[in-house]
């Protein structure tokens, strides 16, 4: 005896519902994996950034400012340029401090 069209249709509807539930579960898993990968990349970039900033020999205030600016970076793009800006800022601040010290005696 062959199944009727209606029973085939109902079977396909059930299979479709099952597959839809599986797909929805996979979407949630994929989203959580993407978040985990992003967090891992941010942590890796923070470790690399710490090494680079240690070698840059900047004052603690500059290092804190750069860490805040690059907190969500996954590749530290622009960090060398930012370090150069901080070096220039530190040099100009030091010159201003020296001038103020000379003026005030």
């Amino acid at each position: 005896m062959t199944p009727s069209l209606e029973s085939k249709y109902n079977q396909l509807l059930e299979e479709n519902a099952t597959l839809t539930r599986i797909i929805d579960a996979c979407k949630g898993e994929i989203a959580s994996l993407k978040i985990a990968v992003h967090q891992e990349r941010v942590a890796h970039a923070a470790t690399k950034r710490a090494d680079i900033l240690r070698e840059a020999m900047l004052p603690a205030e500059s290092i804190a400012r750069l860490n805040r600016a690059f907190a969500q970076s996954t590749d530290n793009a622009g960090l060398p340029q930012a370090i150069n800006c901080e070096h220039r800022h530190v040099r100009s601040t030091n010159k201003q401090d020296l001038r103020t010290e000379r003026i005030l005696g």
Side-chain angles (χ1 to χ4, degrees), residues 27-83:
K27 284 180 183 178
E29 185 67 25
I30 289 170
S32 65
L33 288 173
K34 283 182 179 182
I35 291 169
V37 167
H38 177 72
Q39 290 172 340
E40 192 63 35
R41 286 180 178 166
V42 169
H44 179 70
T47 302
K48 288 174 61 177
R49 184 172 55 254
D51 293 340
I52 293 168
L53 292 175
R54 192 176 321 106
E55 293 174 7
M57 297 177 57
L58 288 166
E61 182 181 301
S62 294
I63 290 173
R65 187 174 21 255
L66 289 173
N67 276 325
R68 282 192 307 273
F70 287 87
Q72 292 301 313
S73 174
T74 57
D75 61 0
N76 293 320
L79 184 60
Q81 294 84 354
I83 289 171

Side-chain angles (χ1 to χ4, degrees), residues 89-102:
H89 174 72
V90 168
R91 282 194 299 268
S92 70
T93 303
N94 288 343
K95 287 179 184 178
Q96 289 173 355
D97 289 346
L98 287 174
R99 278 187 245 141
T100 303
E101 210 174 288
R102 283 188 208 139

Side-chain angles (χ1 to χ4, degrees), residues 1-12:
M1 190 168 171
T2 62
S4 68
L5 286 177
E6 187 175 337
S7 65
K8 283 184 180 180
Y9 176 75
N10 288 332
Q11 179 185 358
L12 290 174

